[in-house]
Amino acid sequence: MSSKRMLVTAALPYANGHIHLGHLVEYIQTDIWVRFQKLRGRRCIFICADDTHGTAIMIRARQEGRPETELIADMQAAHEKDFAGFDIAFDHYGSTNAPENYELCKQIWGSLSKAGLVREDDVEQLFDPEAGTFLADRFVKGTCPSCKSVGEYGDNCSKCGATYAPTDLIDPVSTLSGATPVKRSAKHLFVQLEQLHAFLDAWTQSGEHLQSEVANYLKGHFLGKPLRDWDVSRPEPYFGFPIPDSPGNYWYVWFDAPIGYIASTHQWCKRNGEQLEDWWKSSDTEIHHFIGKDITYFHTLFWPGVLKAAGYSLPTFVHIHGFLTVDREKMSKSKGTQVRASKYLEHLDPSYLRYYYASKLGPRLDDIDLNLSEFAQKIDSDLVGKVVNLASRTARFVDGVGLASEYPHDGGLFAAAAAAGEKIAEAYEQCDYSRAMRLIMELADAANAFVDNTAPWTLKKDPNQHVRLQEVCTIVLNLFRQLCVYLTPVLPRLAQQCGRLFQVDIKAWDDSQKPLCGIQLSKFEHLMQRVDLAKVNQMIEESKETPAPSTNDAAVAPASSAAPATDSGDALLAEPLAPTCTIEDFAKVDLRVARVIKAEEVPEAKKLIKLTVSLGGDTTRTVFAGIKAAYTPAQLEGRLVVIVANLQPRQMKFGLSEGMVTAAGAGGTEVFLLGVDSGAKPGHRVH
RNA sequence: GGCGAUGUAGCUCAGUCGGUUAGAGCAACGGCUUCAUAAGCCGUGCGUCGGUGGUUCGAGUCCACUCAUCGCUACCA
């Protein structure tokens, strides 16, 4: 805690793909932490870079018919734009394909060699003679040697679960060229991590550098037996750095990627007149890595081992987070839940996502779930309804007069919230953002209760109370600003807007400790919009990719007709069967096919969409359906639905509903309208 | 198959070294308010703390077993 400098990294995004909402968990988490440290007055830099090497990049560049350097330059530009759009503020964003990185790789490699950690061995691998390249497991397909299932990948069988080497496949085929691969032996270089076993045992199990789950995982998984040698070379052709003392070999991408942290820092140092040694070889510098749990091994065993052997500082802490699920499921391109950062930004405010992730993130590596209806609800309720609302409830009342010259008595509200600052800071420090957000919202609740109790709108009506009115508003506006200070790491834009309103920028955490008085305010402007669900839905809709019937997908997807249904009984348990009814009972209900001819938003309604449906001919009905969270009007117009046509009309707040649209599902966003097979016409009765 | 994490109110989660009638936010329901982006305030929660068995004067909290979910892994990690 007392060290002078702090270096923070997020994992280097791979240049083979665009940034999506899953990646952003990490960058937002890290950015919040860095902004927090800076706000607290720490000397802290945030370093990142694009990870650019490897077979995947090489193959893709070939497919696109252009040099790798062009591909990675384009991708880097896209990454940086996405990050900037989400207010992720790196101090430096470099690339692993940089001369500084090559220099460092050579130097560190030299240290590893000198320490006697490198050995050489022959590895037999499949080679694609047409593409002229060795093939990683996932680039080979063939028949499973165990169950004879065809079209299986080179590492294991999706049918019988057998594992094998790609060289064991029957009739192997390269997915790159379709050629039959041949076995070929090549010289590989290995780092003998086992020599560092004792060190890694001590470092990982000290309880100081890793979350306890991670330490347990490593202990149970790797450290209980000898550590395997790590294959860090790849024979040409390969896009990467050539190994100087091993002609024809390149460093495996995972060797030079983490070194990119140092190289990128080096670039930053050059631009800012700093010494790299102060940041990577000084006990006065804390180094914090933020990563996802999928790359735990590299950052907690291999990387510390390399740093140790090469004489660099070890990470102070490796902060590991879980994955993002959307509505409890893995992100899916076909469902449109793998939303690109750029797509999100076309429709929604980045502050929403920053706050939502913050409200979900804790210090452990649990997965976090993006629930789209909760997302909208939380932003509306917490940020718009509670925080921003404080300013819009009071700012107008002090137009022209400004804030009181002295801070009035407020029953200890400001002081209590100022005191809460330490607890909030501690939560941020421990990466327990969800706790920090909860604490902040408690303060917002207290402030809103104060507004209600003092009723400034009543004071306004009585000219004798105008001094008191100014006092009340001074209190509320200061409480609002205090919240903005606490939220600054998460919502830098709100903090800026707050600065404009008060004409005093938020610069430090301690700005939360003293109220502002005797100043004029700028004209109040809306600070944040409510979440438009239509835009959320549209974003999902536009993110849907119909899976191309490529050979890859065909192998993974089960043949639809042959796959046995494995539906859970949850739905039935949630809503058990109703008592038996007779055919006469059922006949009372007149279900009809109808066409939605008009679907309209009911802005005042939380759940309803107003539908005009046609039963054929001139017969139309107006029906209000509680499906707003699940459908947009645009999705509904023109489609066929099944309605209860003889339901007694019901007067609702927004008009008369003359029927009911049938749907299944639990409600909320889980509403699935009933459709009919093609051929049915509006007016047809359901028997 | 191995390992790990999780399983507490409709939803998201808190529950510190085991200790009195198990908590919060959101949703829902009832009431109030109208300054504010239909925002806000007050009130309402008999939940088998996944299950079974055990340790204990006492367990959501410890132990064993078990079920479910998720993740990692299964010799180029």
Side-chain angles (χ1 to χ4, degrees), chain A residues 188-339:
Chain A
H188 280 237
L189 294 160
F190 295 82
V191 172
Q192 302 172 79
L193 216 49
E194 177 58 15
Q195 292 186 23
L196 298 163
H197 199 132
F199 158 73
L200 289 171
D201 248 336
W203 188 81
T204 60
Q205 304 302 311
S206 73
E208 292 172 9
H209 310 297
L210 301 171
Q211 286 129 304
S212 58
E213 311 94 289
V214 179
N216 286 343
Y217 161 75
L218 296 173
K219 189 177 177 185
H221 241 88
F222 300 104
L223 295 167
K225 52 192 182 225
L227 294 163
R228 288 197 295 268
D229 293 347
W230 201 49
D231 183 354
V232 293
S233 73
R234 294 293 181 271
E236 59 187 354
Y238 192 77
F239 180 57
F241 290 138
I243 303 176
D245 53 5
S246 180
N249 278 321
Y250 290 75
W251 281 306
Y252 177 45
V253 56
W254 262 110
F255 178 79
D256 69 61
I259 294 172
Y261 293 137
I262 305 178
S264 191
T265 310
H266 193 195
Q267 291 182 329
W268 176 86
C269 286
K270 285 184 185 171
R271 288 189 189 180
N272 291 277
E274 294 272 337
Q275 295 304 310
L276 185 62
E277 290 70 29
D278 290 340
W279 292 88
W280 276 97
K281 289 188 172 179
S282 162
S283 58
D284 271 344
T285 302
E286 289 182 21
I287 296 170
H288 294 264
H289 295 305
F290 284 78
I291 61 164
K293 62 186 181 183
D294 52 327
I295 53 177
T296 297
Y297 174 88
F298 296 103
H299 284 81
T300 57
L301 293 177
F302 182 72
W303 181 231
V306 167
L307 289 171
K308 173 74 176 172
Y312 284 84
S313 299
L314 289 156
T316 309
F317 206 96
V318 182
H319 307 259
I320 305 181
H321 62 82
F323 296 145
L324 179 72
T325 55
V326 178
D327 290 334
R328 282 281 163 189
E329 291 178 26
K330 267 190 193 175
M331 290 185 294
S332 141
K333 284 185 178 173
S334 59
K335 288 182 182 167
T337 52
Q338 186 172 114
V339 180

Side-chain angles (χ1 to χ4, degrees), chain A residues 1-4 6 37 40 42 286 316 429:
Chain A
M1 279 305 285
S2 57
S3 54
K4 289 187 210 144
M6 206 171 211
Q37 299 297 349
R40 294 282 275 182
R42 294 292 303 267
E286 289 182 21
T316 309
E429 181 73 44

Side-chain angles (χ1 to χ4, degrees), chain A residues 85-155:
Chain A
F86 278 89
D87 300 329
I88 291 155
F90 301 110
D91 287 279
H92 186 70
Y93 195 89
S95 165
T96 58
N97 195 43
E100 289 86 351
N101 201 30
Y102 194 24
E103 285 312 307
L104 281 159
C105 286
K106 284 192 265 196
Q107 184 212 319
I108 288 171
W109 183 246
S111 301
L112 296 178
S113 302
K114 206 190 267 177
L117 292 172
V118 179
R119 85 175 164 84
E120 208 179 277
D121 206 352
D122 284 331
V123 171
E124 190 172 72
Q125 231 183 331
L126 289 177
F127 181 84
D128 181 333
E130 242 169 75
T133 177
F134 283 92
L135 296 164
D137 295 355
R138 64 203 164 95
F139 291 119
V140 188
K141 278 175 146 185
T143 300
C144 170
S146 175
C147 74
K148 312 290 187 272
S149 164
V150 293
E152 298 299 337
Y153 283 103
D155 48 356

Side-chain angles (χ1 to χ4, degrees), chain A residues 418-441:
Chain A
E422 272 317 299
K423 266 200 296 187
I424 296 168
E426 199 181 311
Y428 272 121
E429 181 73 44
Q430 294 166 352
C431 291
D432 197 350
Y433 303 160
S434 65
R435 180 172 147 78
M437 296 308 107
R438 242 180 291 126
L439 290 169
I440 293 169
M441 288 310 136

